[in-house]
């Protein structure tokens, strides 16, 4: 049916329950995904199930608040979960290159770190005091005195034996030498050589015997010294054990139910006792012994780092499971890194320089990441899959992961992984991964689809209002009154292109409220009113519509030819939408048709010059199917119709102009002019049914602006598919013009309905005799096609006669 829309149908008036933010200031921020029941159910299932591989992919177009909504949803879920554990790395005293991992209940990691810090500080403070005590020095002196007495006793016996044999023991830098003496004086080499040979032999033999005894004595002396050194060490360890043992035992009692901590404390105690000298004050260097007193502080601290606890992840302050959003998932940000520092010109690292990644912080909870950034960062995607499959995460250099040679570094013990990964991204990336990555379906088994719109019912309107109120509270914006909320809901419906739906693109809606709040403050208004929403929308358009205004100027100046009055055969105004990033607008285009005899059917000039897209070309080919089905059942279709978008210098795609092109063809064939005061949009099928298109509001407003610039006559208007009626959410000035009958909007369901509106002539239906009514558009088209067919037959006959003459 032909339907002329009334102003009442052009505007959707929302029942906003009669209140605005000013009466709902106590509304709490929404912690749910508004209007996304399907996504909510999928998320809840994916988060509750404990089986391996049920990670999630949240799918939806950009700008609908997926990340924010998922974060809020997960935070509520996380509060109901058990606390995640703390993770620490400690020194491995058996293999320093493989630090040991320790798992602790939430909050205990900080306690262990502080306990070890206090322990080492106490030992460093008390050990020097204990070694300076009179009791310790007395016992040490006793041991040293006994050592000296034993040493002196051995040398005295050997010295007596040497004197009796005519020799003396002479200390030298190379050791103790046995030299012959005469008259209590050592013989020189000349004096020794001057002795008779028999005397020299006797002295050599005696010296060898004494040298053997000296070696035996030195061995005994080393054994004695080693024994006394052991006694000194045992004394030091006894003193240290007295100091360290009590503190260690307190910690062992505290952490007795944590085997990993107990093992570390016991190993640390043994290491402290073995290296107790490092806790004693540095002594001035003497004969290469001791430590230089002028070492930098960081050098003096190095020996004690091995006792530090590196608290990798601390979950002590979390109310439940962690929720981590990683917006920059580089390999190091996600999987951690091992830092290095320069010491004396070389790189140095230890377990205290291991840093956690976001996957460690999310362990025991949820990790949310944008899939596009995951895929774009080197090694991140493959490493993430490997971690999820193995159930553990390994901190290692990215160069090692890639197989490149690297300097020797740490290889920390892997950490068991228990995390739900939520990837957020576009639907096409999900389909691509599902088709091309065989591991993806095994690891991400739950898909949560975010819709771009939701039902405009009372419940959702109330939730939408609560969202707006929460936004104002959170960002300290002016609150909206009921008229502003209704206006905002109209904008949401316009974004959804449906009077019965609301857009879930909360980003643009929130931006609108923020700008409206600015204008409300500028006007010193307590609340955001409908006028402020309108002001924000107008200013947004003004900032972006420079190209649109230039096109309108060119049309007004007749540089671009668009007629809004009169009637022309084979010429019609089509409508398209131009998108310039964040701004889209309707642009009218003149479409013309030329008809001639031929067998080519409908020719698309845009396609011929490769300026037409595939969908547009398909739409044009459908026109030939329509003409054949309706007019060529009793005769061949002898037609060449050339279609063109006049003054089009960019590509054309989409099928929304296919009905418009068909009207122009019917006009050209029938000879009936089309009213140029109309612009037309809508696709068509082979049976002549007019189908819905997108961007209907932009298209209507685009032609309205041209008509307004040239002067509204009341005859101008736009014809749209009937199925697009519910998509109408037009500007106030368009609605007002329709209300005052200065502009018209028609909706049609078939081509026959449309051609009647455009030409003012009945379309005509085929009668029982198979003929169309005389004088109807379809009847005139059929008559013209018959004439074209006769012309083609005559031309073919003439060609045959010419060929026969040439052959003779």
């Amino acid at each position: 049916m032909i339907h002329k829309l009334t102003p009442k149908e052009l505007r959707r008036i929302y029942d906003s329950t009669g209140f605005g933010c000013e009466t709902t200031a106590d509304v709490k921020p929404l912690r749910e995904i508004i209007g996304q029941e399907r996504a909510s159910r999928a998320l809840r299932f994916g988060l509750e199930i404990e089986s391996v591989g049920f990670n999630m992919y949240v799918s939806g177009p950009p700008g609908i608040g997926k990340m924010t909504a998922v974060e809020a949803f997960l935070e509520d879920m996380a509060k109901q979960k058990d606390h995640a554990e703390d993770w620490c790395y400690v020194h491995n005293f058996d293999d320093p290159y493989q630090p040991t991992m320790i798992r602790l209940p939430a909050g205990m990691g900080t306690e262990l770190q502080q306990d070890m810090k206090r322990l080492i500080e106490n030992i460093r403070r008390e050990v020097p005091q204990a070694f300076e005590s009179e009791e310790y020095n007395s016992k040490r002196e006793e041991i040293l005195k006994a050592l000296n007495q034993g040493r002196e006793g051995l040398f005295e016996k050997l010295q007596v034996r040497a004197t009796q044999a005519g020799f003396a023991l002479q200390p030298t830098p190379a050791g103790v030498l046995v030299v012959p003496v005469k008259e209590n004086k050592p013989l020189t080499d000349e004096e020794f050589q001057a002795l008779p040979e028999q005397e020299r032999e006797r002295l050599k033999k005696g010296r060898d015997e004494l040298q053997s005894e000296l070696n035996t004595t030195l061995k005994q002396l080393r054994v004695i010294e080693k024994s006394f050194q052991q006694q000194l060490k045992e004394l030091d360890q006894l003193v240290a054990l007295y100091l360290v043992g009590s503190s260690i035992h307190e910690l062992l009692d505290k952490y007795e139910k944590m085997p990993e901590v107990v093992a570390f404390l016991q190993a640390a105690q043994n290491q402290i006792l073995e290296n107790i000298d490092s806790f004693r004050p540095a002594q001035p260097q003497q004969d290469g012994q001791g430590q230089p007193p002028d070492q930098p502080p960081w050098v003096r601290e190095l020996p004690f780092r091995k006792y530090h606890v590196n608290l990798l992840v601390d979950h002590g302050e979390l109310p439940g499971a962690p929720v981590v959003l990683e917006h920059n998932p580089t390999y190091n940000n996600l999987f951690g890194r091992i830092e290095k520092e320069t010491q004396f010109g070389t790189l140095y690292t230890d377990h205290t320089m291991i840093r956690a990644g976001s996957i460690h912080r999310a362990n025991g909870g949820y990790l949310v990441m944008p899939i596009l950034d995951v895929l774009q960062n080197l090694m991140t995607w493959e490493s993430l899959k490997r971690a999820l499959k193995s159930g553990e995460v390994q901190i290692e250099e990215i160069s090692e992961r890639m197989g490149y040679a690297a300097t020797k570094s740490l290889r920390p013990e892997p950490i068991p992984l228990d995390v739900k990964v939520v990837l957020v991204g576009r639907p096409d990336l999900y389909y691509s991964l599902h088709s091309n990555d065989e591991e993806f379906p095994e690891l991400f088994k739950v898909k949560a689809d975010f819709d771009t719109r939701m039902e405009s019912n009372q419940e959702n309107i109330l939730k939408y209002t609560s969202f707006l109120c929460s936004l104002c509270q959170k960002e300290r914006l002016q609150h909206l009154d009921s008229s502003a909320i209704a206006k905002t809901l109209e904008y949401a419906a316009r974004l959804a292109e449906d009077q019965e739906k609301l857009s879930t693109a909360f980003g643009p809606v929130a931006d609108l409220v923020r700008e409206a709040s600015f204008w409300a403050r500028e006007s010193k208004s307590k609340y955001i009113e409908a006028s402020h929403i309108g002001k924000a929308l107008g200013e947004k358009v003004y900032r972006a519509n420079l190209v649109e205004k230039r096109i309108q100027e060119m049309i007004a100046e007749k540089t671009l030819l668009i007629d809004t009055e009169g009637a022309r055969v084979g010429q019609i105004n089509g409508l398209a939408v131009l998108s310039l990033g964040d701004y889209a607008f309707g642009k009218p285009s003149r479409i013309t048709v030329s008809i001639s005899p031929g067998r080519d059917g409908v020719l698309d000039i845009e396609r011929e010059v490769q300026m037409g897209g595939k969908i547009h070309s398909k739409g044009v080919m459908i026109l030939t199917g329509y003409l054949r089905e309706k007019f060529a059942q009793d005769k061949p279709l002898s037609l060449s119709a050339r279609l063109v978008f006049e003054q089009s210098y960019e590509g054309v795609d989409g099928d929304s102009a296919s009905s418009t092109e068909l009207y122009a063809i019917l006009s050209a064939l029938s000879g009936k002019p089309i009213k140029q005061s109309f612009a037309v949009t809508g696709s068509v099928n082979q049976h002549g049914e007019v189908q819905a298109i997108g961007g209907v509001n932009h298209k209507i407003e685009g032609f309205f602006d041209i008509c307004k610039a040239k002067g509204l006559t009341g005859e101008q208007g736009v014809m749209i598919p009937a199925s697009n009626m519910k998509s109408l959410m037009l500007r106030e000035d368009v609605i007002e013009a329709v209300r005052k009958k200065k502009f018209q909007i028609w909706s049609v369901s078939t081509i026959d309905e449309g051609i009647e509106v455009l030409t003012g002539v009945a379309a005509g239906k085929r009668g029982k005799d198979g003929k169309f009514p005389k004088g109807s558009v379809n009847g005139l088209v059929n008559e013209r096609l018959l004439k074209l067919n006769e012309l083609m037959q005559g031309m073919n006959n003439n060609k045959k006669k010419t060929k026969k003459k040439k052959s003779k």
Side-chain angles (χ1 to χ4, degrees):
M1 61 176 288
I2 302 174
H3 184 74
K4 185 176 181 180
L5 298 183
T6 65
K8 183 178 180 180
E9 293 170 309
L10 291 175
R11 180 175 180 183
R12 173 76 161 130
I13 304 299
Y14 290 95
D15 178 12
S16 62
T17 68
F19 59 78
C21 287
E22 73 274 12
T23 59
T24 58
D26 58 338
V27 175
K28 297 179 180 179
L30 289 179
R31 310 302 290 178
E32 59 179 291
I33 305 177
I34 306 174
Q36 301 287 357
E37 181 182 352
R38 186 187 307 273
S40 298
R41 289 178 62 178
L43 279 170
R44 193 173 297 279
F45 165 74
L47 298 177
E48 292 291 348
I49 191 169
E50 299 294 337
S51 301
V52 176
F54 282 83
N55 299 294
M56 287 163 285
Y57 187 103
V58 177
S59 172
I64 63 174
K66 300 186 298 296
M67 191 73 77
T68 303
V70 168
E71 180 186 12
F73 188 90
L74 291 179
E75 284 179 351
D76 271 0
M77 292 286 294
K79 291 176 183 178
Q80 305 169 20
K81 301 295 182 180
D82 295 334
H83 290 270
E85 295 167 311
D86 290 347
W87 297 94
C88 302
Y89 272 116
V90 296
H91 184 74
N92 185 341
F93 297 102
D94 295 326
D95 185 356
Y97 288 100
Q98 294 188 350
T100 303
M101 171 271 300
I102 292 181
R103 182 202 315 244
L104 293 162
M108 292 298 292
T110 302
E111 290 191 31
L112 177 61
Q113 185 183 53
Q114 295 301 318
D115 287 342
M116 284 303 298
K117 181 180 179 181
R118 285 191 293 267
L119 173 68
I120 299 304
E121 288 176 350
N122 290 340
I123 294 174
R124 293 181 67 182
R125 182 178 61 253
E126 294 176 1
V127 164
Q129 296 176 359
F131 286 127
E132 293 173 0
S133 65
E134 292 184 3
E135 182 180 0
Y136 170 78
N137 287 327
S138 175
K139 291 182 179 180
R140 181 179 176 85
E141 288 299 327
E142 289 178 6
I143 295 173
L144 292 176
K145 183 177 180 181
L147 172 61
N148 291 332
Q149 288 175 351
R151 183 189 295 120
E152 290 172 359
L154 287 175
F155 273 102
E156 284 179 0
K157 289 180 182 179
L158 187 60
Q159 185 67 44
V160 171
R161 172 74 177 82
T163 301
Q164 291 174 351
F167 289 90
L169 299 178
Q170 184 176 353
T172 69
V176 180
L177 298 180
V178 178
V179 295
V181 296
K182 186 177 182 180
E183 297 178 358
N184 296 326
K185 293 182 180 181
L187 292 176
T188 63
D189 288 340
E190 291 79 5
E191 291 174 338
F192 180 78
Q193 292 298 328
L195 294 174
E197 183 176 351
Q198 186 176 3
E199 182 66 15
R200 290 201 306 271
E201 291 297 328
R202 183 185 70 79
L203 290 174
K204 285 181 181 180
K205 183 178 180 181
R207 184 178 60 185
D208 292 341
E209 292 175 355
L210 283 173
Q211 187 66 48
S212 177
E213 292 181 19
L214 175 62
N215 291 340
T216 301
T217 300
L218 291 175
K219 287 180 181 180
Q220 294 174 350
L221 181 60
R222 283 195 291 272
V223 171
I224 292 173
E225 289 180 343
K226 186 175 182 180
S227 173
F228 279 96
Q229 288 294 335
Q230 183 63 32
Q231 292 181 41
L232 290 173
K233 185 175 182 180
E234 290 175 355
L235 174 63
D236 290 350
Q237 289 183 345
L238 184 63
V239 173
L241 184 60
Y242 174 77
L243 296 173
V244 176
S246 59
S247 299
I248 290 287
H249 284 303
E250 288 180 10
L251 297 182
L252 289 172
D253 291 340
K254 180 178 180 179
Y255 298 99
E256 62 179 348
K257 295 182 179 180
M258 304 174 193
E260 296 167 336
V261 179
V262 170
F264 168 67
L265 291 174
Q266 291 173 343
Q269 175 177 303
N270 295 334
Q271 187 73 10
I272 291 171
L273 297 178
E274 288 293 327
N275 297 275
I276 196 64
D277 285 344
S278 61
F279 291 87
R280 303 176 70 172
Q283 301 296 326
Q285 271 187 312
Q286 295 178 357
D287 299 329
Q289 304 297 322
Q291 298 178 349
D294 57 347
Q295 288 180 324
W298 63 268
V299 175
R300 292 197 294 270
E301 293 297 321
L302 280 179
F304 305 105
R305 278 195 188 180
K306 65 182 73 173
Y307 308 110
H308 292 182
V309 174
N310 180 4
L311 181 55
L312 196 71
V313 178
D314 179 16
H315 287 139
E317 300 296 327
L318 286 179
V323 177
V324 177
L325 272 70
E326 181 53 75
H327 294 283
N328 184 27
T330 63
Y331 179 85
N332 286 337
N333 286 351
L334 187 58
F335 295 100
R337 62 190 182 278
I338 302 173
E339 296 179 344
K340 295 179 175 63
E341 62 186 18
T342 303
Q343 293 184 6
F344 303 111
T346 61
L347 291 178
Y348 171 83
T349 188
D350 59 31
H351 74 284
T352 63
M353 288 186 274
I354 301 173
R355 299 291 176 259
S358 51
I359 198 168
H360 300 95
R361 294 190 292 275
N363 203 5
Y366 311 101
L367 175 61
V368 186
M369 297 181 291
I371 180 60
L372 183 60
D373 294 324
V374 171
L375 296 174
Q376 288 177 336
N377 280 288
L378 181 67
M379 295 301 296
T380 297
W381 176 238
E382 293 301 324
S383 299
L384 176 63
K385 292 190 295 181
R386 186 179 292 110
L388 293 176
K389 286 190 297 182
S390 64
E392 62 181 26
V393 56
Q394 173 77 57
I395 301 177
E396 60 182 335
E397 302 284 351
I398 189 171
S399 55
E400 292 183 12
R401 173 71 76 183
M402 296 176 66
Y404 296 142
T407 57
K408 189 173 183 180
S409 184
L410 303 180
R411 191 167 184 82
E413 183 181 358
I415 292 178
L417 187 61
D418 177 23
V419 65
K420 285 283 186 179
V421 177
V422 181
L423 299 177
V424 181
R426 304 193 310 264
D428 61 313
L429 291 177
Y430 174 84
Y431 302 135
S432 179
L433 287 169
H434 204 281
S435 300
N436 301 309
D437 191 331
E438 61 184 15
E439 295 172 325
F440 179 77
E442 296 298 321
L443 296 174
F444 294 87
K445 297 182 179 180
V446 181
K447 180 189 178 187
D449 259 326
F450 269 62
D451 200 353
T452 57
R453 55 189 190 171
M454 63 184 183
E455 293 293 331
S456 178
N457 53 39
Q458 192 71 19
E459 179 183 359
N460 285 340
I461 289 175
L462 182 59
K463 289 180 179 180
Y464 223 103
T465 304
S466 296
F467 160 72
L468 297 174
C469 181
S470 299
L471 175 69
C472 295
Q473 288 177 339
K474 182 179 179 180
E475 301 189 13
R476 298 182 180 179
L477 306 175
Q478 305 290 92
H479 284 280
L480 295 87
D481 67 8
S482 56
S483 67
I485 287 180
K487 192 75 173 177
T488 305
L489 292 174
E490 287 183 14
Y491 177 68
R494 179 183 172 92
L495 292 178
E497 293 192 0
D498 194 323
Q499 296 177 358
E500 299 175 357
K501 305 286 185 181
L502 294 174
S503 172
T504 57
F506 295 108
V509 173
D511 289 341
L512 174 66
V513 174
R514 293 183 185 107
E515 185 168 348
S517 177
F518 170 81
W519 294 116
R521 286 196 176 101
E522 286 288 301
S523 63
K524 302 189 184 308
S525 174
K526 184 178 179 181
Y527 298 111
I528 299 174
E529 301 172 357
S531 59
H532 301 128
I533 298 292
K535 173 74 170 176
L537 289 171
E539 289 295 321
K540 180 180 179 182
V541 170
Y542 180 76
R543 293 192 296 267
N545 71 346
L546 178 62
V547 174
E548 180 184 18
K549 288 300 181 183
R550 290 292 179 267
I551 291 175
Q552 291 174 2
E553 288 177 8
M554 294 173 72
I555 293 174
E557 296 168 355
K558 297 185 178 181
T559 303
L560 293 178
L561 300 179
I562 298 293
D563 291 335
T564 59
E565 294 179 330
R568 297 287 296 274
V569 174
Q571 177 178 304
I572 193 170
N573 294 321
L575 293 170
V577 175
L578 292 186
S579 180
L580 303 176
D582 63 340
Y583 183 68
F585 62 92
K587 174 182 176 294
S589 298
R590 174 180 288 182
I591 300 173
T592 60
V593 178
S594 63
I595 302 292
S596 66
R599 300 292 187 188
D600 299 324
V602 180
L603 289 176
D604 177 16
I605 293 179
E606 310 293 333
R607 179 186 177 187
E608 295 297 318
V609 297
Q610 298 182 349
M611 291 178 64
K614 293 181 179 180
I615 298 177
H616 179 257
S617 298
K618 174 187 174 184
V620 172
M621 295 176 72
I622 287 174
L623 304 185
T624 302
Y626 171 83
L627 294 173
R628 289 184 185 279
E629 193 271 339
K630 193 157 190 173
F631 300 107
Q633 298 299 311
D634 55 355
K635 58 185 175 299
L637 186 63
S638 304
L639 166 73
S640 288
R642 288 172 172 78
L643 279 170
V644 66
F645 280 73
E646 302 289 358
Q647 294 183 291
S648 172
Y649 307 107
E650 65 275 344
V652 176
D653 201 5
D655 63 350
S656 65
S658 57
S659 69
T660 313
E661 295 164 334
L662 183 53
Y663 293 134
I665 293 173
L666 295 176
S667 170
L669 287 171
S670 66
K672 292 299 180 181
I674 290 176
K675 299 174 184 177
Q676 300 301 295
S677 57
F678 276 94
V680 181
T681 185
S683 67
V684 68
N685 61 27
Q686 293 187 110
H687 301 297
E689 296 171 323
V690 180
Q691 303 167 143
I693 44 83
V696 64
N697 294 301
H698 293 305
K699 292 176 178 179
I700 293 173
E701 291 166 355
F703 189 66
F704 172 80
D705 289 337
I706 298 300
C707 295
K708 186 177 180 180
K710 289 192 170 187
L712 294 173
T713 63
E715 299 296 324
Q716 296 133 333
V718 174
M719 191 164 68
I720 66 172
S723 50
N724 275 119
M725 288 170 58
K726 66 177 183 178
S727 302
L728 295 179
M729 293 299 301
L730 296 166
R731 294 189 326 235
E732 293 288 347
D733 57 340
V734 180
I735 296 173
E736 186 64 23
V738 173
R739 181 180 291 114
K740 293 180 178 180
K741 298 182 179 181
K742 292 183 178 181
F743 194 73
Q744 305 175 32
I745 298 177
W746 293 78
S747 67
V748 297
S749 299
T750 64
I751 290 297
D752 285 349
E753 292 178 1
I755 198 66
E756 290 181 357
V757 173
L758 295 172
T759 62
V761 179
K765 293 184 179 181
R766 193 185 293 273
K768 293 181 179 180
D769 57 356
K771 297 181 179 179
F772 292 103
K774 190 174 181 62
S776 66
V777 174
N778 288 333
L780 295 171
V781 170
N782 194 52
E783 292 175 6
R784 179 71 182 278
L785 290 174
L786 284 171
K787 292 180 181 179
L788 291 173
N789 187 49
E790 292 172 358
L791 285 172
M792 282 297 300
Q793 289 179 352
M795 293 169 65
N796 290 336
N797 291 334
N798 290 335
K799 287 182 180 179
K800 289 179 181 179
K801 292 178 181 179
T802 303
K803 286 183 179 180
K804 287 181 179 180
K805 290 180 179 179
K806 288 183 178 180
S807 61
K808 291 180 179 180

